Amino acid sequence: MKPMDRDIRRRVVSVVVGLLFGFSSAMFAGEGQAPPVVKEIDIVHFSHTDVGFTDSPSVCRELYRRYLDIAVDTILDSVDGPADKRFFWTAEATMPVNDWWQTTTPSRREQFLKAVRAGQLEISAMACNNTPFLNAAQWRTMLHWLPEELWWQVDPKVAIQNDVNGMPRAGALALLDRGVRYLFTGINEDSGGVPFPRPAAFWWKMPDGRRMFVWLNIGYGSGFDFFEPAEWRRGPVPLAADMRYRPPRAGDILSSEEESVRRAHRQCVERVRNLEKSGYRYDVLTISITSQWRFDNDPPFAPLADFVATWNRLGLEPRLRLTTAADAMQRMEKVMGDSVPEHAGEWTDWWANGTGSAPREVAASRVAKRYLAAAQSPVWGPLNSAASRTMDELYRDLCLFDEHTWGSSLSVAKPYSLDTQGQFTEKSILAYRPMARAEWLLSQRARTKLAREGEGLFLANPASAPFSGWVRMIATCLRDNYQTVENPQTGEQMKLYFEPGVQPWGRPRTPEDLTREDISATFADNVPNKVAKFWVERLDANAIQRLRLSTKSIESDTVAGSVAPQVKADASGWPVSAVWPGMKQPLFLEGSGDFIAVKVNGFAPRHVLADIRGRRGEARERMRRESLEDVAATTEGKATVQETSHTLVYTQALRHPRLQWGTRVVEIWKRQPRARFTLRINRLSSAAPEIFYIAFPLPVGETLPRLSSGGEPFTPFTDQLSGTCRDYFAFDGWADYATPD
């Protein structure tokens, strides 16, 4: 070819290319507009795993297994085809993956791994979308849900926390320990919010200096809105079993027909322009899409790959790329990692009040966690493999109890429907079953340790700190007229005290046989000598003490140096302060143990709360004052006082319009600056939104407490991400006010 011919060809080619790019940019920008900033949109496709909500949890788990089959088949059908038509799927959670893996065949497992190796199937790192109620042991379970060999084969690089508007820092640290440094979020702002305007990325700095790269996605299914003007899903959330509804098919949504794609392009241009006007300045944007059957717990939408292929074949801008979450995160880190801000602090969660709405079940879950911690104490010796497997099963149940889904989609609209009750039953069994099995496991650990020790009364402290306090037993376990407990090594004698309690099959004879709390009035619950107790003074941590019962009686078991604190009481006899020798400040102040309920005034009170959330500044505070009413309990008679050589116990009845009855008790140790408060209530059933508070004014000045979340401490207000929940805080065990006094 002559040089002139080459020059002419070069000019022709450049004109054609210029026309093509000019046409595409004009389609995007419109006449007179600046060229777009966003050049490419990464689309991440997954099913949002609500373990419940759309269907009962057991049905959801079956659906997830089926969805993974669909994803694997769709990937394998495209893996050897044109690159622009390949299908990609991200498994949002490892729990469904493990369910599938444990029930499939070896050949099917190999197909799964082929899809992973092709880069078209990605497994994220966490077992489920979580709440801030997991303890440290649960976080270890969450990140060891898959068999270890499978974990290393799928090599998770990203964790996904969708729906929930918080993420415990303990979880982030556990993820970093497992080599996972990306967090992909799709927050649902209902009843909560995002810490910073989105879409945005930031580096989340941990207390130890390590960092996690976080993507604040627009919403876990909101990518659909970039291409379609209206939702395709219909009705209330239909059950998977409801055959009047079905998942979308090819052509229903995201059609690959050219005219439809061009309409979707116009929608996308408008959405991207709005983001750029709001300040988005990166040439890559990541969005995510779920299906439109129910939005949650939905199958892969295979035609999405054809939609993306047609879009790119037409040369539309921004270009689309169907990919996985980790691949998108890696690209974003390269593009924006050097310029995004760094933030530190706990990521507190507004949705914690959902867990708080089931206090009995939460109590059962926490009892289970304490039993499991006790069963792991070195006092019993090493764990065998069977016990380890049982613990893993129970911690998995507890993780799923602390998963973010708290009932049917109709749980508020139809609280007593069979679906609502059924879903809550499945959820609650994840607390009650571990409680029962963990108690049984602990008893078996104790029996195995002590079976060869001969006869005796064995007292064990499986905790990591010394114990001083009462040991209580149902009196029927004593088969003789025992009056004392003796320590054969020291000769020390502890008096047995007897308290009233329940006579399960006895008919009440007089009103005195029933306490005010016994509303059924069927069995007597105030029968003398039904509970036996004795005092233990400082039993070492992780120690077992052998004792023996004796029929000898003693006047008292006074301990040397027993000096009662100075306790001040109010006019009703309820203590308002307690000071031990050497203390500059009382342990608590007046008002401790006060009970307050906050109710919402106004029509449709849950919507009133939503209106409050929608306001800002003084307008919000004014509406709070106008719409929220504090109702305090009043006392019902004087407090009673019981004194022994070891403690003072104050008991007082409370009256409140939201309670059938209430009882508060404070037990004060004589030789330690320590008190235990117990509130027992019988709440009158109501669907109205309300929050119950117990007041604990303490002499700590401006000192804020450190709270434990997942075993990691944080200080509310000062050590949390800005824009996160400050209305209430979830913690897993303790609040520490570190003051000089």
Side-chain angles (χ1 to χ4, degrees):
M1 182 180 292
K2 296 179 182 180
M4 183 62 69
D5 295 334
R6 286 197 296 271
D7 290 342
I8 293 171
R9 183 176 181 181
R10 190 178 299 117
R11 285 197 297 273
V12 170
V13 169
S14 65
V15 169
V16 172
V17 171
L19 287 172
L20 287 173
F21 278 100
F23 174 70
S24 182
S25 296
M27 286 183 64
F28 187 102
E31 198 170 329
Q33 291 190 11
V37 173
V38 175
K39 299 294 192 299
E40 195 161 52
I41 297 177
D42 282 351
I43 300 175
V44 177
H45 187 28
F46 46 59
S47 176
H48 172 54
T49 49
D50 275 325
V51 190
F53 189 68
T54 62
D55 309 278
S56 68
S58 54
V59 171
C60 288
R61 294 182 74 165
E62 181 179 341
L63 290 173
Y64 303 148
R65 293 194 295 269
R66 292 170 181 248
Y67 296 165
L68 195 52
D69 270 324
I70 294 170
V72 169
D73 287 340
T74 308
I75 288 169
L76 295 180
D77 286 345
S78 69
V79 71
D80 296 323
D84 62 344
K85 289 191 174 184
R86 288 177 186 162
F87 182 77
F88 291 78
W89 179 255
T90 298
E92 189 189 72
T94 56
M95 180 270 294
V97 174
N98 187 65
D99 286 355
W100 182 90
W101 185 265
Q102 300 301 335
T103 57
T104 196
T105 63
S107 61
R108 193 64 172 151
R109 288 180 175 182
E110 183 51 42
Q111 290 176 325
F112 167 92
L113 293 173
K114 179 181 178 181
V116 171
R117 289 191 291 266
Q120 292 174 243
L121 175 61
E122 180 182 305
I123 313 303
S124 66
M126 292 196 297
C128 57
N129 298 286
N130 60 82
T131 63
F133 290 88
L134 281 75
N135 63 21
Q138 286 174 280
W139 274 113
R140 287 191 293 272
T141 301
M142 280 275 286
L143 297 182
H144 290 82
W145 207 275
L146 297 176
E148 198 68 4
E149 181 182 1
L150 178 59
W151 171 277
W152 293 114
Q153 289 185 84
V154 300
D155 190 20
K157 292 181 172 62
V158 63
I160 298 177
Q161 175 81 323
N162 278 332
D163 223 0
V164 192
N165 46 54
M167 173 69 187
R169 195 161 56 184
L173 288 164
L175 286 163
L176 290 167
D177 290 343
R178 289 288 268 166
V180 179
R181 49 187 296 273
Y182 295 121
L183 177 62
F184 185 102
T185 71
I187 290 172
N188 183 339
E189 292 195 66
D190 180 53
S191 304
V194 292
F196 316 110
R198 57 181 180 177
F202 68 94
W203 288 102
W204 189 12
K205 187 177 180 181
M206 299 296 118
D208 61 8
R210 291 182 294 172
R211 301 196 305 173
M212 175 165 279
F213 188 66
V214 181
W215 176 240
L216 282 175
N217 186 25
I218 294 171
Y220 62 84
S222 298
F224 179 82
D225 302 332
F226 273 70
F227 309 110
E228 298 278 8
E231 288 186 352
W232 186 82
R233 64 175 177 170
R234 288 289 183 272
V237 178
L239 294 170
D242 190 340
M243 292 180 287
R244 296 166 295 185
Y245 297 84
R246 61 167 174 81
R249 300 170 183 161
D252 289 334
I253 60 173
L254 303 173
S255 170
S256 57
E257 295 295 325
E258 181 174 343
E259 182 181 353
S260 178
V261 172
R262 291 192 183 278
R263 280 198 305 270
H265 178 257
R266 290 191 289 272
Q267 171 91 1
C268 181
V269 167
E270 183 179 352
R271 291 298 301 267
V272 172
R273 278 295 182 199
N274 289 335
L275 290 181
E276 292 179 352
K277 289 176 183 177
S278 300
Y280 192 80
R281 291 292 178 266
Y282 299 102
D283 59 5
V284 172
L285 172 68
T286 297
I287 60 176
S288 57
I289 286 180
T290 62
S291 188
Q292 281 277 310
W293 181 19
R294 291 92 55 85
F295 206 74
D296 300 334
N297 296 331
D298 280 2
F301 183 65
L304 179 59
D306 293 330
F307 172 81
V308 171
T310 301
W311 179 293
N312 292 331
R313 177 177 57 80
L314 294 173
L316 304 178
E317 293 186 358
R319 181 179 174 82
L320 302 184
R321 206 171 71 99
L322 188 57
T323 187
T324 62
D327 179 71
M329 293 291 294
Q330 289 169 337
R331 294 188 74 223
M332 286 190 292
E333 183 185 8
K334 290 178 182 178
V335 170
M336 57 187 79
D338 292 336
S339 60
V340 298
E342 178 182 271
H343 300 284
E346 182 71 5
W347 195 337
T348 55
D349 178 20
W350 274 280
W351 284 12
N353 63 353
T355 304
S357 68
R360 290 176 177 173
E361 289 72 23
V362 172
S365 75
R366 293 198 163 183
V367 168
K369 294 172 192 181
R370 290 197 289 272
Y371 283 147
L372 288 173
Q376 295 174 79
S377 168
V379 75
W380 315 120
L383 280 169
N384 60 34
S385 58
S388 296
R389 285 193 300 272
T390 298
M391 285 193 172
D392 183 62
E393 291 173 14
L394 301 184
Y395 275 127
R396 286 173 188 248
D397 274 358
L398 291 166
C399 286
L400 289 175
F401 178 77
D402 289 328
E403 189 265 346
H404 80 296
T405 310
W406 269 90
S408 162
S409 63
L410 295 175
S411 60
V412 175
K414 295 184 176 181
Y416 296 107
S417 70
L418 293 179
D419 181 61
T420 296
Q421 294 294 302
Q423 288 206 36
F424 188 70
T425 296
E426 283 202 42
K427 181 75 169 183
S428 62
I429 200 67
L430 295 168
Y432 289 120
R433 180 171 60 201
M435 180 184 71
R437 293 190 63 200
E439 183 179 26
W440 170 245
L441 175 64
L442 176 58
S443 73
Q444 291 299 86
R445 293 272 286 156
R447 283 188 174 96
T448 301
K449 172 71 176 180
L450 302 173
R452 296 183 178 86
E453 296 297 322
E455 186 175 327
L457 174 63
F458 295 90
L459 184 62
N461 177 13
S464 56
F467 170 79
S468 295
W470 294 108
V471 175
R472 285 179 166 83
M473 303 175 286
I474 298 175
T476 55
C477 75
L478 304 175
R479 295 183 177 271
D480 206 338
N481 186 28
Y482 296 121
Q483 299 297 314
T484 55
V485 176
E486 298 178 351
N487 185 330
Q489 284 78 38
T490 64
E492 181 186 7
Q493 294 182 322
M494 289 82 78
K495 180 180 178 180
L496 272 175
Y497 295 79
F498 291 89
E499 298 178 335
V502 176
Q503 175 67 54
W505 308 110
R507 178 173 180 169
R509 300 298 177 185
T510 68
E512 287 71 29
D513 289 342
L514 303 174
T515 68
R516 62 190 289 275
E517 299 178 2
D518 192 348
I519 58 175
S520 74
T522 303
F523 300 127
D525 68 333
N526 197 32
V527 178
N529 301 326
K530 290 300 176 182
V531 176
K533 68 178 185 180
F534 65 94
W535 183 263
V536 173
E537 186 72 19
R538 196 174 175 82
L539 178 60
D540 289 341
N542 295 310
I544 297 176
Q545 193 174 76
R546 184 173 186 151
L547 306 172
R548 65 186 176 204
L549 292 160
S550 172
T551 56
K552 298 177 184 177
S553 62
I554 56 176
E555 286 285 328
S556 69
D557 50 354
T558 304
V559 178
S562 176
V563 179
Q566 292 183 347
V567 179
K568 292 183 180 179
D570 62 17
S572 73
W574 181 254
V576 296
S577 71
V579 180
W580 283 256
M583 287 179 62
K584 300 177 182 177
Q585 299 274 11
L587 184 63
F588 52 86
L589 300 176
E590 185 173 3
S592 289
D594 285 357
F595 176 84
I596 301 168
V598 177
K599 71 174 184 175
V600 185
N601 294 320
F603 175 69
R606 292 177 188 273
H607 292 283
V608 173
L609 290 174
D611 291 341
I612 294 174
R613 288 194 301 272
R615 284 166 169 74
R616 295 289 181 268
E618 176 54 32
R620 171 184 282 186
E621 294 309 309
R622 183 170 58 254
M623 190 171 183
R624 288 172 69 101
R625 291 192 296 269
E626 294 171 352
S627 304
L628 304 182
E629 180 183 353
D630 294 356
V631 181
T634 57
T635 60
E636 191 174 312
K638 282 199 169 270
T640 63
V641 187
Q642 292 179 306
E643 182 174 4
T644 69
S645 303
H646 312 288
T647 59
L648 295 161
V649 180
Y650 295 80
T651 304
Q652 189 168 48
L654 298 177
R655 182 186 293 114
H656 192 279
R658 292 298 305 120
L659 303 179
Q660 187 156 22
W661 54 257
T663 306
R664 62 182 182 183
V665 180
V666 64
E667 184 175 25
I668 297 174
W669 271 243
K670 286 188 172 180
R671 289 177 296 282
Q672 294 181 36
R674 178 181 174 187
R676 173 186 286 128
F677 177 85
T678 302
L679 176 73
R680 297 194 301 272
I681 62 173
N682 189 338
R683 175 182 183 261
L684 295 173
S685 180
S686 171
E690 61 185 356
I691 299 180
F692 291 168
Y693 290 93
I694 311 168
F696 291 107
L698 305 173
V700 295
E702 298 298 316
T703 300
L704 292 169
R706 288 190 315 144
L707 307 177
S708 169
S709 175
E712 296 294 330
F714 77 97
T715 301
F717 305 110
T718 64
D719 183 23
Q720 65 180 101
L721 294 175
S722 64
T724 55
C725 181
R726 296 171 181 235
D727 289 340
Y728 35 77
F729 302 96
F731 59 101
D732 68 359
W734 48 262
D736 173 28
Y737 290 84
T739 65
D741 297 329

